[in-house]
Amino acid sequence: MAKKEFKSESKRLLDLMINSIYTNKDIFLRELISNASDALDKLYYQSLTDKKVKVKKEKLEINLSFDKENRLLTITDNGCGMTKEELEENLGTIAKSGSLSFKENMTKEEKIDIIGQFGVGFYSAFMVADKITVNSKSVDSDEAFTWESEGADGYTIKESTRKDRGTEIVLKIKEDTEEFEYSKYLDEYELKSLVKKYSDYISFPIKMEVTHHELKDEEKHEYEDKKEIETLNSMVPIWKKDKKEVKDEDYNNFYMDKFNDFDTPLKIITSSVEGMLSYKTLLFIPSHAPYDYYTQDYEKGLSLYANGVMIMEKCADLLPDYFSFVKGVVDSEDLSLNISREMLQESHNLKLIAKNIESKIRKELEDMMKDDREKYMSFFKTFGVQLKYGVYNNYGQDKDKLKDLIMFYSAKEEKLISLAEYVKAMPDNQESIYYAAGSSIEKIKSLPQVEQVRDKDYDILYLTDYVDSFAITAIQEYENKKFVNVESNDLDLETEEEKEATKKINEGNSDLLKEMADEIKEVSEVRFSNKLKSHPVCLTSKGDVSIEMQKVFDAMPNEMGIKAQTVLEINEKHPIAKKLKELYKKDKEEFKNYTKILYSEAKMIAGLPIDDPTEISRLICDVIAK
Ligand code: ADP
């Protein structure tokens, strides 16, 4: 029979599995058992909604058996099974949900990272087996099929005589090598302890025939071997166990298995609510973002169980978008088992649970920020953007819930601080919260406007994420302190006398300034200012759209034409001011050239592109060549 090729990405993943870069080979068993358990869940759920499918929950089970002599390990379930198409689709290809692209020259760590984030799944069995045979009969079909593969060079699918619904996976265990004893997967004691370690919480019985040495004759010290089918797992879902009896390691194993992560979670959050509405939750904050987290493919949601039975794998309604990174399980006795998805959305109970979960996560994060700053920083580095996005999303309706969870870089502290910390450290005479935006800390530091504020010993929040300015604009004020962009033109840091003096200079030179503004057109105003210490010029903005926000709008695919209203400010104390006044009287042509050069300088400092660099470069050369 002709062999079918694996899709190319699957092939590469298989190569990695066969050559076993994954150090923990043991996990293959939990992956296969989890798949079996999912298949049982699916079948049971189907039986609740489809009258044609009849199953008894007590009959659903997973079986393990091994044959030392022929080196075979078999995992069987009587779950939903797979049709021919499903075998092809599910086992012949990987990377259904995202494109898993293996780059050449990736380091071993990077490869493990990708595999881990992807979830090793079924393919992990190739770490321990030379050949895998999957025999399956779907609940939706009368025919059974056998899928078989010896690794990366392909697989075959043919009809099978299997009578029973469900799936049987037979692994031909590799021969032992000097480095690794594969035979341990054919050992009763070893298999028992692997199940206990990784799959104890599985809610269906995992059965295996075990041997008991029983004392036959006490006097003669004679024993006899008795074989007996035993259930290896305790079957109590981990979230239903008494918290005191569960070790962090157990939670971690459960998390890594259920949510396909190679890394332990950053935070485990458990809760148990009793009352009018009773439910248990077991939530996890991952320690790194899933590989597809910042793409459209990512689906948020928590697994929803009705009294131990999974009714939905990813219930999106249980999590707000800004906490979409949270993984976990919710189990309630007060949800009906055969509730449809639409009804679920309308469910009052579900809404209440979602609301409580939201506050619980928020509280845990607030506590983490207070009590374990290092951990919070690590969290914020990974998911902070999502929180800041949450602040301004939906017209800022959630900003009050999130404003105490976000952090910005403080010029004074040279690290991320919260808004509360900023306000607490404000000197008595400081009225506003100052911020400055740019593409990097270094660039912001060198903004001319920053100097003036820092001179007063006021702290400035440096915003480097594109979402930052939008978040700050949405919050508007914190503890009655307004946010003020140092790049806005009415900073109001001058004394009354200084203000008066500037006003006078501007009034006295209104013709000159108007002519400059007419020459540039893009700016709404040109003015002299005394806010600049050493720099000759800067660009500031009036109104709601800051220069930083304009950059974000400019970068959007369908340009919306939203522009900041800019002001070109010229340092009145700089020699250039005198020069301009001279040229204005004597040489109008040169005056215009100077205007263009100065405006380009201001744009450059603000990080905006110059429309005609060639012309500006020519103008500068003309001036310096004189
Ligand atoms: P994942 O479980 O993360 O989806 P796997 O590679 O482990 O990825 O499995 C791929 C798919 O194959 C599963 O999603 C499931 O649809 C199907 N599958 C695997 N094992 C079984 C099984 N024992 N019974 C039914 N379907 C299975």
Side-chain angles (χ1 to χ4, degrees):
M1 189 192 300
K3 261 193 191 153
K4 297 195 181 186
E5 293 227 347
F6 285 105
K7 297 260 166 72
S8 62
E9 282 168 338
S10 315
K11 210 163 156 175
R12 281 196 226 127
L13 181 61
L14 269 173
D15 272 333
L16 291 169
M17 279 299 151
I18 292 158
N19 299 317
S20 205
I21 58 165
Y22 221 65
T23 40
N24 187 5
K25 297 187 205 300
D26 290 353
I27 56 127
F28 86 93
L29 190 62
R30 74 156 199 230
E31 298 286 332
L32 296 186
I33 289 175
S34 277
N35 282 349
S37 166
D38 289 347
L40 294 164
D41 270 330
K42 271 183 217 162
L43 178 74
Y44 188 60
Y45 184 70
Q46 198 175 340
S47 78
L48 297 173
T49 47
D50 181 348
K51 285 200 188 72
K52 287 195 290 293
V53 180
K54 289 194 175 61
V55 289
K56 285 211 175 79
K57 188 149 198 262
E58 320 80 72
K59 291 270 162 68
L60 299 178
E61 61 180 49
I62 300 165
N63 276 282
L64 293 186
S65 67
F66 58 94
D67 170 353
K68 252 190 179 129
E69 213 171 310
N70 295 305
R71 300 189 72 77
L72 300 178
L73 173 64
T74 305
I75 297 111
T76 316
D77 67 73
N78 51 1
C80 62
M82 283 176 272
T83 61
K84 189 181 179 192
E85 290 71 34
E86 283 166 341
L87 280 168
E88 183 103 30
E89 170 83 357
N90 296 336
L91 307 184
T93 116
I94 198 168
K96 266 177 292 173
S97 59
S99 73
L100 172 71
S101 49
F102 282 100
K103 290 188 228 99
E104 298 300 323
N105 307 326
M106 261 203 292
T107 64
K108 189 172 155 186
E109 283 71 29
E110 283 169 328
K111 281 178 184 161
I112 292 182
D113 197 57
I114 281 204
I115 293 174
Q117 293 193 37
F118 197 79
V120 281
F122 173 77
Y123 288 85
S124 61
F126 278 107
M127 292 194 291
V128 301
D130 297 320
K131 184 163 110 182
I132 302 179
T133 310
V134 181
N135 240 315
S136 196
K137 184 159 177 254
S138 163
V139 58
D140 301 316
S141 166
D142 295 329
E143 296 171 297
F145 291 90
T146 300
W147 178 101
E148 194 164 84
S149 170
E150 289 183 26
D153 58 329
Y155 60 91
T156 57
I157 294 184
K158 57 184 185 217
E159 273 180 47
S160 121
T161 53
R162 184 181 170 82
K163 295 269 175 319
D164 302 333
R165 178 203 66 226
T167 305
E168 171 195 75
I169 298 179
V170 186
L171 308 182
K172 176 100 172 69
I173 298 293
K174 288 183 183 180
E175 291 296 332
D176 291 345
T177 64
E178 267 177 31
E179 290 101 55
F180 199 79
E181 198 203 322
Y182 292 96
S183 300
K184 74 179 210 181
Y185 302 124
L186 299 164
D187 177 74
E188 181 184 307
Y189 178 78
E190 191 71 39
L191 289 168
K192 269 167 92 171
S193 54
L194 283 179
V195 169
K196 208 68 200 150
K197 181 170 176 193
Y198 291 114
S199 311
D200 195 51
Y201 66 89
I202 294 282
S203 57
F204 301 98
I206 304 168
K207 294 182 176 172
M208 187 167 81
E209 190 181 63
V210 295
T211 319
H212 293 285
H213 295 288
E214 278 182 11
L215 201 54
K216 197 175 156 196
D217 191 323
E218 204 159 340
E219 266 155 38
K220 288 187 201 154
H221 280 282
E222 257 180 37
Y223 284 83
E224 83 176 338
D225 278 355
K226 256 195 163 172
K227 295 205 184 283
E228 209 173 48
I229 302 278
E230 204 176 86
T231 297
L232 309 182
N233 56 328
S234 71
M235 289 200 291
V236 181
I238 190 162
W239 58 88
K240 283 202 174 176
K241 287 186 186 165
D242 184 353
K243 226 173 111 178
K244 285 186 234 87
E245 276 158 33
V246 187
K247 293 194 289 282
D248 273 0
E249 191 197 341
D250 300 328
Y251 283 129
N252 289 346
N253 275 331
F254 169 77
Y255 165 80
M256 293 195 282
D257 172 21
K258 174 120 181 139
F259 302 107
N260 278 331
D261 198 346
F262 65 100
D263 221 346
T264 54
L266 184 80
K267 175 99 192 139
I268 304 163
I269 305 170
T270 57
S271 70
S272 176
V273 176
E274 311 262 324
M276 295 272 282
L277 178 61
S278 302
Y279 63 91
K280 288 187 162 51
T281 62
L282 172 56
L283 309 177
F284 301 93
I285 298 175
S287 52
H288 59 120
Y291 74 100
D292 59 350
Y293 186 60
Y294 289 106
T295 73
Q296 301 238 312
D297 291 332
Y298 183 79
E299 280 178 69
K300 65 165 185 174
L302 300 174
S303 297
L304 185 61
Y305 286 72
N307 211 1
V309 179
M310 183 164 79
I311 54 176
M312 201 189 280
E313 197 171 342
K314 271 188 186 166
C315 180
D317 296 331
L318 285 170
L319 284 176
D321 278 344
Y322 49 84
F323 289 152
S324 60
F325 47 82
V326 175
K327 307 266 183 192
V329 172
V330 177
D331 193 347
S332 174
E333 294 155 22
D334 302 310
L335 291 172
S336 153
L337 258 182
N338 44 5
I339 190 167
S340 76
R341 269 156 214 241
E342 296 78 66
M343 276 158 66
L344 212 46
Q345 251 163 32
E346 292 305 309
S347 156
H348 177 70
N349 283 351
L350 198 72
K351 286 199 176 114
L352 207 62
I353 295 176
K355 195 165 159 265
N356 293 349
I357 286 177
E358 192 274 344
S359 346
K360 175 82 182 165
I361 299 170
R362 198 147 39 86
K363 173 87 175 43
E364 291 282 336
L365 287 173
E366 278 166 10
D367 290 350
M368 197 201 291
M369 189 196 230
K370 258 192 270 130
D371 307 334
D372 191 348
R373 186 52 70 93
E374 205 177 317
K375 199 173 200 172
Y376 193 79
M377 294 296 237
S378 158
F379 158 76
F380 195 75
K381 214 173 121 210
T382 317
F383 298 114
V385 168
Q386 192 64 18
L387 299 185
K388 290 187 278 191
Y389 172 73
V391 165
Y392 74 83
N393 199 25
N394 294 326
Y395 308 100
Q397 66 175 17
D398 300 314
K399 64 181 182 197
D400 288 333
K401 291 184 186 152
L402 299 173
K403 65 184 180 201
D404 283 316
L405 290 178
I406 58 175
M407 302 177 97
F408 298 101
Y409 184 90
S410 144
K412 213 178 220 169
E413 301 293 327
E414 300 189 326
K415 62 174 192 203
L416 295 177
I417 61 166
S418 67
L419 294 175
E421 285 158 354
Y422 180 100
V423 169
K424 194 154 175 259
M426 273 167 68
D428 288 343
N429 65 349
Q430 184 182 345
E431 304 279 335
S432 317
I433 302 172
Y434 294 102
Y435 68 94
S439 57
S440 72
I441 302 290
E442 284 312 309
K443 282 197 181 142
I444 301 173
K445 259 189 199 162
S446 64
L447 282 176
Q449 298 96 318
V450 161
E451 210 176 12
Q452 185 198 15
V453 181
R454 292 292 293 125
D455 259 10
K456 298 233 171 219
D457 205 29
Y458 296 164
D459 196 1
I460 303 179
L461 299 174
Y462 288 171
L463 318 187
T464 49
D465 264 331
Y466 77 97
V467 293
D468 289 349
S469 301
F470 293 90
I472 291 264
T473 311
I475 300 176
Q476 288 171 342
E477 54 178 47
Y478 185 88
E479 287 182 13
N480 297 323
K481 312 278 185 224
K482 278 206 163 48
F483 287 98
V484 174
N485 187 345
V486 300
E487 134 210 296
S488 73
N489 77 333
D490 51 359
L491 267 190
D492 207 18
L493 286 176
E494 297 146 321
T495 61
E496 285 309 313
E497 285 132 48
E498 284 168 335
K499 272 188 213 162
E500 197 51 41
T502 316
K503 197 173 155 214
K504 256 199 187 131
I505 294 159
N506 278 298
E507 279 168 2
N509 292 287
S510 59
D511 292 347
L512 174 147
L513 295 167
K514 177 154 188 318
E515 199 154 331
M516 285 182 87
D518 288 346
E519 183 59 31
I520 304 168
K521 293 192 189 74
E522 268 178 14
V523 293
S524 66
E525 194 187 336
V526 178
R527 56 196 304 242
F528 283 122
S529 84
N530 56 16
K531 74 163 65 148
L532 295 162
K533 272 178 62 191
S534 48
H535 292 268
V537 286
C538 73
L539 204 60
T540 57
S541 65
K542 294 200 237 188
D544 292 335
V545 183
S546 68
I547 294 171
E548 251 355 88
M549 287 160 100
Q550 180 186 321
K551 285 183 205 163
V552 176
F553 290 131
D554 284 348
M556 286 182 178
N558 40 353
E559 219 197 291
M560 294 186 281
I562 299 177
K563 297 284 177 208
Q565 266 191 301
T566 51
V567 179
L568 173 63
E569 301 203 15
I570 300 166
N571 187 349
E572 210 275 320
K573 293 182 284 282
H574 195 278
I576 195 67
K578 201 165 145 235
K579 181 85 183 176
L580 279 170
K581 287 175 200 163
E582 273 170 34
L583 289 175
Y584 182 63
K585 285 197 200 114
K586 286 201 299 227
D587 187 347
K588 276 287 166 62
E589 235 8 76
E590 197 71 340
F591 173 75
K592 283 180 184 167
N593 291 343
Y594 270 59
T595 302
K596 280 185 197 154
I597 294 173
L598 288 173
Y599 177 52
S600 301
E601 282 183 14
K603 270 182 113 175
M604 229 159 40
I605 295 169
L608 289 170
I610 294 165
D611 300 334
D612 192 351
T614 320
E615 198 209 341
I616 298 302
S617 146
R618 188 183 55 78
L619 288 176
I620 293 172
C621 276
D622 285 352
V623 170
I624 57 181
K626 266 185 194 150

